[in-house]
Amino acid sequence: QKATGKHTLDVGNYGKAWSKVGGMFSRGLGILGITSGIYALTGAVRDAFNRVKDFDAEMFKMAGISGFARTELESVEQAILNVAGRSVKTSNDVAKLATTLFSLGKTKDEVELLLEPITNLGIGLNATAEESAELLGSVLNAFGKGADSGQEFADVISKIRTTTSLDFTGISESLGFLAPTANALNLTIGETGAILGVLKDNGIKASRAGRLMSSSFARLVGKGKTLSGALSEVNESTDKVKTASELFGKESFSLALILANNIDKTKKLSNEFDNLSKGSLQKLVDEQLKSVTAQLGLLESAWERIVIDIANGNGRFEQLGRVINFVATNLRTILKSLFAVGVAFVSFKAGVLATNLALKIHSAITATASLRTALFSKGLKL
């Protein structure tokens, strides 16, 4: 009876015991929450410090290469922050691009004009900033254009990418060969892109098309002929192969025949590229930025701009407004990202529970089987 009474007493105290455990658990969670908060805050401060330090180091490197004092690059720095703030590229990424452009001999004005089209071209065409800078810079030079034509040419290149089967590598390789001689024939960037697109769509590799047509264009320049005139001669000839070989060269006659058979298509594409390309790059970039990963990249870049601006002491009240605007503008993306993380966590926990349940079921089945075997050995049945 004493034992029973003691047992009853213990049972009666279970609630108090569990309350103590619950209290300890709650306090533990509270301590854990505070610790996590401190850890997160420390991490955020460290991250902000590293971003500012890396950006400042790149700006001093840029000053050394450009020959300007650090204070003379304020307009370039602001252009870098503006471009990075609305891109998946960080401020440090865009600053490195600016340094590269200075190393290529660009002026401050040219760097500021080229930062956005080159950055967006890299995003839209899945290329590095250096590759995009080399492509756009070489094409502008080949056609005798300056940095003020950068956005226009970037739009045309984007239109070529989305309208033909040419990818970034194909565009880069073929234009690298063809652009200088195309300009010598008084062709536009759109006409050149149309020619390369038609040849690629007819099974000619981009690099081969660029190399062979460059030689053919040089022949036509030497003969004092235009491309349209030469193609008309091919179409009007009773021996097209012979005429194409004489005008374009024996290695290129087959490409000339393709172009002669696709004059209308080439003209249509040329018109699209030269006259209807405005905004093509932005559309291509927007398509690339639809993923959650890209949206998080945009958030990171926008936040980094705010951090660097605050570190530079550029209007604290203005920056407070930017922080508020940042959260308000990007609230949907932030919540979407948190929801995605939450779903992933719940899915993980559900997977753990399911695994544990499966292991318990397996153990029960194994134990039952062992018991059946033991009973069977003694002539009993379960």
Side-chain angles (χ1 to χ4, degrees), residues 47-251:
D47 177 70
F49 174 78
N50 288 335
R51 288 176 187 271
V52 173
K53 181 185 69 173
D54 292 343
F55 181 76
D56 201 49
E58 187 60 36
M59 289 302 300
F60 275 108
K61 178 182 177 181
M62 188 190 306
I65 289 176
S66 66
F68 292 105
R70 175 73 170 79
T71 54
E72 295 178 300
L73 293 173
E74 287 184 2
S75 62
V76 176
E77 179 177 345
Q78 194 56 49
I80 290 169
L81 294 176
N82 289 339
V83 171
R86 50 181 179 263
S87 164
V88 293
K89 299 295 183 182
T90 66
S91 300
N92 203 34
D93 291 333
V94 182
K96 288 179 179 178
L97 170 58
T99 302
T100 299
L101 292 175
F102 275 120
S103 69
L104 294 173
K106 302 298 182 183
T107 65
K108 281 199 298 184
D109 289 341
E110 288 174 327
V111 169
E112 291 174 24
L113 285 170
L114 290 172
L115 279 178
E116 187 156 29
I118 290 176
T119 298
N120 285 341
L121 200 60
I123 296 169
L125 273 63
N126 290 318
T128 66
E130 289 76 14
E131 290 171 335
S132 301
E134 183 179 354
L135 170 59
L136 189 57
S138 64
V139 173
L140 286 171
N141 290 337
F143 284 94
K145 300 293 185 178
D148 55 340
S149 296
Q151 185 62 56
E152 175 192 348
F153 271 49
D155 277 331
V156 173
I157 291 171
S158 300
K159 189 72 171 178
I160 293 171
R161 175 66 186 92
T162 56
T163 307
T164 71
S165 57
L166 287 165
D167 57 11
F168 174 81
T169 302
I171 293 171
S172 183
E173 290 178 351
S174 58
L175 280 180
F177 281 117
L178 194 55
T181 51
N183 185 53
L185 268 179
N186 295 317
L187 298 178
T188 65
I189 174 66
E191 290 171 328
T192 308
I195 289 167
L196 292 170
V198 167
L199 292 175
K200 180 65 169 64
D201 290 347
N202 279 271
I204 307 298
K205 289 185 177 180
S207 57
R208 180 169 180 263
R211 178 174 56 82
L212 293 181
M213 291 312 298
S214 179
S215 299
S216 297
F217 285 4
R219 285 172 65 94
L220 294 178
V221 171
K223 292 175 181 290
K225 293 183 177 294
T226 64
L227 177 60
S228 60
L231 293 177
S232 295
E233 287 185 45
V234 172
N235 279 332
E236 293 167 3
S237 174
T238 55
D239 190 343
K240 293 185 179 182
V241 172
K242 180 181 178 182
T243 303
S245 298
E246 291 173 351
L247 291 173
F248 291 85
K250 292 182 179 179
E251 288 187 335

Side-chain angles (χ1 to χ4, degrees), residues 201-377:
D201 290 347
N202 279 271
I204 307 298
K205 289 185 177 180
S207 57
R208 180 169 180 263
R211 178 174 56 82
L212 293 181
M213 291 312 298
S214 179
S215 299
S216 297
F217 285 4
R219 285 172 65 94
L220 294 178
V221 171
K223 292 175 181 290
K225 293 183 177 294
T226 64
L227 177 60
S228 60
L231 293 177
S232 295
E233 287 185 45
V234 172
N235 279 332
E236 293 167 3
S237 174
T238 55
D239 190 343
K240 293 185 179 182
V241 172
K242 180 181 178 182
T243 303
S245 298
E246 291 173 351
L247 291 173
F248 291 85
K250 292 182 179 179
E251 288 187 335
S252 307
F253 80 90
S254 60
L255 280 65
L257 293 176
I258 292 173
L259 293 177
N261 288 328
N262 288 276
I263 289 177
D264 291 339
K265 180 179 179 180
T266 305
K267 283 183 178 179
K268 182 176 180 294
L269 284 176
S270 298
N271 180 61
E272 284 187 34
F273 296 158
D274 280 328
N275 303 314
L276 304 173
S277 292
K278 189 174 182 180
S280 294
L281 178 56
Q282 191 58 54
K283 289 179 182 177
L284 189 58
V285 170
D286 290 343
E287 194 64 30
Q288 297 286 349
L289 299 182
K290 286 183 178 179
S291 69
V292 173
T293 301
Q295 290 297 311
L296 290 174
L298 287 171
L299 290 174
E300 180 185 1
S301 297
W303 177 250
E304 185 177 85
R305 177 191 174 182
I306 293 172
V307 168
I308 293 173
D309 266 347
I310 291 174
N312 290 340
N314 296 333
R316 294 184 180 180
F317 288 106
E318 179 186 349
Q319 298 313 318
L320 177 60
R322 278 190 182 175
V323 172
I324 296 171
N325 183 63
F326 173 82
V327 174
T329 304
N330 298 287
L331 183 59
R332 183 178 179 182
T333 302
I334 294 171
L335 293 176
K336 186 191 297 183
S337 303
L338 291 174
F339 178 74
V341 172
V343 169
F345 178 76
V346 171
S347 299
F348 170 75
K349 296 296 289 184
V352 171
L353 291 173
T355 301
N356 289 336
L357 179 60
L359 289 173
K360 288 180 180 179
I361 293 173
H362 179 266
S363 298
I365 293 173
T366 303
T368 302
S370 299
L371 179 59
R372 286 173 63 89
T373 301
L375 293 174
F376 182 77
S377 65

